[in-house]
Amino acid sequence: MNENLNQDNCKWKQEKKFLENLFQIYLPQKDNLIQMLNEIQEHYGYIPMEVQKELSNFLKIPMAEIYGVITFYSRFSLEPQGKYKISVCLGTACFVKGSQKIMDRLTERLKIEPGQTTKDGLFTIDQTRCVGACGLAPVFTVNGEVYGKATVQKLDEVLDELMAN
């Protein structure tokens, strides 16, 4: 039990160091909110509540305003994301060419719904409306890498490879 406390304490010190460094880079101005949220999202994979509070104090911005920005931009997440974030485009071109079958297979294999993360923390799935690759429809992405002219079989191959790593 003491080992867990020491690990938690050590982790908190590392996180405090990250925030201290971030607060040294930026001036405490509201205009820096989105860039700071980007860096926090990059570091944690989401925007933890404790960090929102620290940011609110630093920038002297109400928590509600920070929450509003986080929930407005799809890039930000309030929940931890999986190691692999898989997005399936359900925009018109992709949908017409069968992307719903890819999404259905993804939810079937991972046993989660869009917006959820697997219990092991490996996968988060999401649906998007367009990734700007309509000529490659249907598409899905894994951590931003586009898989065009996708099929259920291609999805299975990619999942098998990711699960093996």
Side-chain angles (χ1 to χ4, degrees):
M1 189 163 165
N2 282 341
E3 185 177 317
N4 287 342
L5 287 175
N6 287 337
Q7 287 174 346
D8 289 345
N9 192 26
C10 182
K11 186 176 181 180
W12 176 242
K13 285 181 183 177
Q14 290 173 344
E15 300 311 331
K16 286 296 264 186
K17 187 71 172 163
F18 167 77
L19 290 175
E20 287 171 10
N21 290 339
L22 188 67
F23 294 163
Q24 288 177 0
I25 294 170
Y26 293 95
L27 294 173
Q29 298 171 343
K30 182 178 178 178
D31 291 347
N32 291 326
L33 175 61
I34 291 178
Q35 186 56 37
M36 293 178 82
L37 287 172
N38 273 322
E39 293 207 30
I40 292 165
Q41 177 77 34
E42 190 70 28
H43 179 77
Y44 293 97
Y46 73 113
I47 316 284
M49 180 60 70
E50 299 79 22
V51 176
Q52 291 177 51
K53 291 175 186 175
E54 295 283 340
L55 190 59
S56 172
N57 290 334
F58 177 74
L59 295 176
K60 298 183 179 24
I61 296 175
M63 287 284 292
E65 190 170 337
I66 292 173
Y67 178 82
V69 171
I70 292 169
T71 56
F72 179 79
Y73 292 102
S74 62
R75 183 215 180 325
F76 301 129
S77 175
L78 293 167
E79 300 295 325
Q81 302 291 292
K83 179 178 179 183
Y84 302 108
K85 184 170 183 184
I86 303 175
S87 296
V88 177
C89 180
L90 296 176
T92 303
C94 288
F95 189 83
V96 166
K97 293 198 174 188
S99 63
Q100 186 63 53
K101 291 177 187 171
I102 294 168
M103 177 58 82
D104 292 345
R105 178 65 175 155
L106 188 57
T107 58
E108 175 189 320
R109 284 233 14 217
L110 299 180
K111 298 186 181 0
I112 58 172
E113 295 297 318
Q116 296 179 334
T117 300
T118 55
K119 289 181 180 158
D120 61 7
L122 275 182
F123 298 98
T124 297
I125 62 175
D126 194 15
Q127 55 191 23
T128 60
R129 292 291 167 225
C130 188
V131 296
C134 300
L136 298 174
V139 301
F140 67 90
T141 63
V142 178
N143 293 348
E145 183 179 343
V146 177
Y147 293 84
K149 302 205 183 290
T151 62
V152 170
Q153 292 78 16
K154 180 64 178 174
L155 174 70
D156 282 338
E157 289 171 14
V158 171
L159 284 176
D160 291 343
E161 185 178 317
L162 295 173
M163 288 175 175
N165 289 336

